[in-house]
Amino acid sequence: MKNNPDHSGRLWIRLCLQISGLLVISLLSACSPQPPKTQFRAASPEEATWIRRLCEPIAGELAASLLARMTAEIAALGPEAGIEVCKNNAISLTHAIAAKHGANSVITIKRTSHKIRNPFNNPDAAESEALKIFLAPSPPKDYVQAIENGGRVEVRYYKPVLTGAACLICHGPETQIPSGISAKIRELYPDDQAKGFREGEFRGVIRVSAIMPQVP
Ligand code: HEC
């Protein structure tokens, strides 16, 4: 079959336009200032040993203290007081525990989940990956991760948090949440996703992170 010159000419023009488009895009990305690239990966064995030793006790103590404080407040003041524990005391407890373990300000602690109540606890990309690992069948007992950011390595220790029976009055199926609590939660967290959990179900993680000391 004879080649149609008109048709192949148009093909060339289209090809050139596509190539110049690619060039413009790559020139643009070369010129515009890029934020430092953050990359995350599973921690190396050395990083994992270091962070587990430092952060596993902190994560364990935070989980136990939150539960103890909540149970005590609910027993003394009623279930709605528990909301205040989860809301106001989590942060101060976190700081007190980090200080008690001799940790300096480099340690950070966060609670996050695939279904959050407070949008402030929203997971970042690395946390979302950790959450996926715990949501998969046969999840590990913890997960350690390294975030590289311009030569600085932040190592993260993740401890899974399960939904205990005591959690259901605030995180369980709607029918198990007393109406006073339901109303208070709706008022404070209009975009709440942290309901409908069953006992024993994965609820989220406690993440304790530290900056890996530089090897001279
Ligand atoms: C009395 C109500 C109440 C009980 C009981 C309760 N929580 Fe919460 N929980 C809340 C509130 C309120 C928040 C939002 C806290 C905030 O503003 O950061 C929350 C937040 C969380 C978060 C942080 C992520 C998010 O969704 O924002 C986790 C994880 C969590 N709860 C786990 C638990 C677990 C596990 C239990 C049981 C041991 C429990 N909670 C019991 C009310 C409760």
Side-chain angles (χ1 to χ4, degrees):
M1 222 211 326
K2 205 159 83 73
N3 238 354
N4 177 346
D6 207 31
H7 181 68
S8 53
R10 271 209 305 269
L11 263 181
W12 269 111
I13 292 173
R14 209 187 299 160
L15 202 64
C16 291
L17 279 176
Q18 274 172 1
I19 292 175
S20 57
L22 277 179
L23 276 177
V24 170
I25 290 170
S26 40
L27 275 177
L28 273 179
S29 51
C31 294
S32 57
Q34 294 283 314
K37 212 157 172 52
T38 306
Q39 282 173 337
F40 56 88
R41 55 171 169 78
S44 69
E46 294 75 34
E47 289 164 342
T49 309
W50 176 74
I51 200 75
R52 278 204 176 95
R53 193 170 303 147
L54 184 65
C55 295
E56 194 173 5
I58 300 179
E61 193 170 338
L62 178 63
S65 310
L66 273 174
L67 184 59
R69 179 85 60 97
M70 184 161 334
T71 316
E73 300 245 337
I74 290 177
L77 304 166
E80 280 171 44
I83 295 186
E84 299 301 316
V85 177
C86 241
K87 185 166 171 282
N88 300 326
N89 291 341
I91 305 285
S92 55
L93 264 179
T94 296
H95 287 159
I97 288 166
K100 198 184 114 189
H101 283 267
N104 53 31
S105 60
V106 180
I107 296 255
T108 53
I109 308 187
K110 176 174 170 183
R111 289 188 312 161
T112 187
S113 175
H114 53 304
K115 291 187 195 169
I116 48 158
R117 174 151 291 166
N118 186 343
F120 182 77
N121 299 327
N122 219 356
D124 64 18
E127 288 158 356
S128 295
E129 192 220 38
L131 289 167
K132 255 191 240 152
I133 287 173
F134 288 116
L135 283 163
S138 359
K141 79 167 190 37
D142 64 8
Y143 181 61
V144 285
Q145 192 183 48
I147 319 277
E148 292 187 18
N149 194 345
R152 206 182 72 136
V153 181
E154 175 198 338
V155 191
R156 292 180 169 188
Y157 175 81
Y158 292 94
K159 177 185 168 63
V161 176
L162 303 183
T163 313
C167 319
L168 296 176
I169 54 161
C170 294
H171 295 295
E174 193 76 66
T175 48
Q176 292 186 29
I177 305 180
S179 58
I181 292 200
S182 212
K184 182 98 184 169
I185 290 174
R186 257 199 313 277
E187 177 200 324
L188 291 170
Y189 309 97
D191 299 320
D192 181 34
Q193 302 163 39
K195 276 183 298 199
F197 286 91
R198 313 248 154 217
E199 189 175 346
E201 194 180 337
F202 174 69
R203 167 68 184 93
V205 290
I206 291 178
R207 189 209 89 196
V208 190
S209 313
I211 305 297
M212 187 87 181
Q214 301 273 353
V215 184

